[in-house]
Amino acid sequence: MTLAESRPQPCGPARGRPRSEAVERAILEGAMRLLEEGVPLSELSIERIARTAGVGKATIYRRWSGKEELFVDVMRAAEPPDPELPGTSMRDDLVVLLESLRQRGLVNRSSAILHNVQAQMKSSPKLWAAYHAMVITPRRNLSLEVLRRGQRNGELRTDVDIELANDMFVGPMLVRSVMRPDVDLPGELSEQIVDTVLEGLRPVSSPET
Amino acid sequence: MTLAESRPQPCGPARGRPRSEAVERAILEGAMRLLEEGVPLSELSIERIARTAGVGKATIYRRWSGKEELFVDVMRAAEPPDPELPGTSMRDDLVVLLESLRQRGLVNRSSAILHNVQAQMKSSPKLWAAYHAMVITPRRNLSLEVLRRGQRNGELRTDVDIELANDMFVGPMLVRSVMRPDVDLPGELSEQIVDTVLEGLRPVSSPET
């Protein structure tokens, strides 16, 4: 009892946390506001963001080690959060993962700013590397984990390289959502992709062959 | 005989053609040289390209309706040419199509300029639309044609949407070559993708199930 009481309360607010969160939000929103006003990423300095958010530069540097890390958080705040996996089967988890890619694609399409910023981000190797390390790689590791579990459960062929399997599930959704902004992303697409990739595209052979 | 003679010779050089081709090449190379020097696409005016190539602006406008069309041709000249399809089977044609995507990915990786210009191109909606219409859509139509032939030949399931089937073959290669510049593009990848997408990722069920 005394031990438990002496521990910091896990649910109670840490000292100064709400204020700190408000500052963080103000900084992220300030950066987003500048992007919405059409300021290109390359002209978006820490100084300018600090001025817009009404904080000092030091306040930003205390939270982010540099421009890249800050921008990745700006992007992340604008995107839908990563999904909770049901864990009922590999198939269901994959549908949820693809569904979150689809949602992200829809948000990206509806927001011209987000779309434009992502394109700018890709032309900055440093920024793109940071986004990769902080956002894309963790997502990818999550889906590789789902596939490994599927191999252990007998839901996925074990003779196929797991990276290839992942690209086979994720690739068709990414191609549509990122590279082909003109085509539909219908609600049933995630299930269709997962089930058809599992099934294969060869016609079911007739009994005599 | 007289009729044939009166026709323009199909193989003979059209009047002024070689000179015209040399001019075209000089213009495309001039644009590429400026890009190699690090001039951003947005600053690459027709005027500047004309000066570099040693021609008048009118010479460029006689051949291209605008900056967008010219840039798409610059990109196209730097990329490997579109492949010849063997036509022996859907499977073989798809392997060749994916192989050409792989080759394009390799060229793109080895050329920092090409990579950078493609990224810049994507952040210009007008330029990206032109590249799409002139390069990507024709390629896509070619592969849809291959798939339709496969459905007629019994090589491809007919109950799957042809656009989805195309994304399933092309997606995994594009995801690797365009979005994940850090991973390998091994020589056997094209065959692996085509055969595994045809086969499916579900484990082969045992006879009693």
Side-chain angles (χ1 to χ4, degrees):
Chain A
M1 299 281 163
T2 20
L3 230 170
E5 276 177 316
S6 74
R7 278 193 204 130
Q9 296 283 11
C11 297
R15 216 173 334 188
R17 173 69 75 76
R19 222 197 125 218
S20 166
E21 268 174 15
V23 169
E24 235 159 70
R25 205 167 38 239
I27 294 166
L28 294 175
E29 284 172 1
M32 191 40 99
R33 208 173 326 133
L34 288 168
L35 292 170
E36 283 169 353
E37 286 166 10
V39 179
L41 264 189
S42 52
E43 287 170 26
L44 209 63
S45 62
I46 294 279
E47 189 164 1
R48 194 158 175 186
I49 296 169
R51 220 183 315 132
T52 307
V55 300
K57 275 168 67 178
T59 307
I60 294 186
Y61 280 118
R62 216 173 298 133
R63 285 166 177 82
W64 290 278
S65 61
K67 199 169 139 163
E68 283 74 28
E69 282 72 23
L70 171 54
F71 284 170
V72 170
D73 274 353
V74 172
M75 293 306 295
R76 194 146 47 176
E79 288 181 348
D82 280 336
E84 287 283 325
L85 298 183
T88 42
S89 67
M90 177 193 79
R91 188 259 179 202
D92 293 349
D93 283 357
L94 285 172
V95 169
V96 170
L97 285 170
L98 259 59
E99 185 55 20
S100 100
L101 285 181
R102 192 180 73 88
Q103 291 296 342
R104 228 169 264 132
L106 289 173
V107 169
N108 214 312
R109 284 170 184 206
S110 65
S111 160
I113 307 135
L114 205 63
H115 184 78
N116 186 269
V117 173
Q118 285 214 338
Q120 289 181 62
M121 197 163 61
K122 281 182 196 160
S123 55
S124 156
K126 226 176 138 186
L127 195 49
W128 187 233
Y131 187 76
H132 235 270
M134 293 168 67
V135 179
I136 297 181
T137 303
R139 260 183 219 155
R140 186 172 173 80
N141 288 341
L142 182 64
S143 88
L144 289 174
E145 196 34 61
V146 166
L147 295 176
R148 276 191 211 100
R149 209 168 359 106
Q151 284 192 329
R152 289 196 298 270
N153 291 350
E155 284 186 88
L156 184 71
R157 280 169 65 178
T158 51
D159 61 333
V160 170
D161 175 61
I162 202 114
E163 300 266 337
L164 178 63
N166 193 46
D167 289 344
M168 282 172 59
F169 285 113
V170 167
M173 183 62 87
L174 280 181
V175 161
R176 285 215 183 184
S177 60
V178 179
M179 296 184 178
R180 301 177 56 212
D182 48 312
V183 294
D184 260 8
L185 290 177
E188 65 278 15
L189 188 59
S190 306
E191 288 199 57
Q192 267 178 357
I193 291 175
V194 172
D195 291 333
T196 318
V197 169
L198 282 170
E199 202 78 29
L201 285 180
R202 215 192 289 289
V204 180
S205 54
S206 48
E208 59 272 333
T209 55
Chain B
M1 299 280 163
T2 19
L3 230 171
E5 276 175 318
S6 72
R7 278 197 203 129
Q9 296 282 10
C11 296
R15 217 175 330 189
R17 174 68 76 78
R19 219 195 127 220
S20 166
E21 268 173 16
V23 168
E24 236 159 70
R25 204 165 42 237
I27 294 167
L28 294 174
E29 284 172 359
M32 192 37 102
R33 210 174 324 134
L34 288 168
L35 293 169
E36 283 169 353
E37 287 166 9
V39 178
L41 264 187
S42 52
E43 288 171 24
L44 209 65
S45 62
I46 293 280
E47 186 162 7
R48 194 158 175 185
I49 296 169
R51 221 182 316 133
T52 307
V55 301
K57 275 167 67 178
T59 308
I60 294 186
Y61 281 117
R62 214 172 300 132
R63 286 166 176 81
W64 291 278
S65 60
K67 200 170 139 162
E68 283 72 30
E69 283 70 23
L70 171 55
F71 284 169
V72 171
D73 274 353
V74 171
M75 293 305 296
R76 197 150 43 181
E79 287 181 350
D82 281 336
E84 287 283 325
L85 298 184
T88 42
S89 67
M90 177 193 79
R91 187 258 178 204
D92 293 349
D93 283 357
L94 285 172
V95 170
V96 170
L97 284 171
L98 259 60
E99 185 57 20
S100 99
L101 284 181
R102 191 179 75 88
Q103 292 296 341
R104 229 170 262 133
L106 290 172
V107 168
N108 215 310
R109 284 169 183 207
S110 66
S111 160
I113 307 135
L114 205 60
H115 183 78
N116 186 269
V117 172
Q118 285 214 337
Q120 291 181 60
M121 196 163 61
K122 281 181 195 162
S123 53
S124 157
K126 221 176 142 188
L127 195 48
W128 187 234
Y131 187 74
H132 235 272
M134 292 168 70
V135 178
I136 296 182
T137 303
R139 263 184 216 153
R140 185 171 174 81
N141 289 341
L142 182 63
S143 86
L144 289 174
E145 196 32 63
V146 166
L147 293 176
R148 275 190 212 102
R149 209 168 357 107
Q151 284 190 330
R152 289 195 296 269
N153 290 351
E155 283 187 90
L156 185 70
R157 281 169 63 180
T158 50
D159 61 335
V160 170
D161 175 61
I162 203 112
E163 299 265 338
L164 178 63
N166 193 44
D167 290 343
M168 283 174 58
F169 286 112
V170 166
M173 183 62 88
L174 280 181
V175 161
R176 287 217 181 184
S177 60
V178 179
M179 296 185 179
R180 302 177 57 213
D182 49 312
V183 295
D184 259 9
L185 291 176
E188 64 277 17
L189 189 58
S190 307
E191 289 198 58
Q192 268 177 357
I193 291 175
V194 172
D195 291 334
T196 318
V197 170
L198 283 171
E199 202 78 28
L201 285 179
R202 214 192 288 288
V204 180
S205 55
S206 49
E208 58 272 333
T209 53

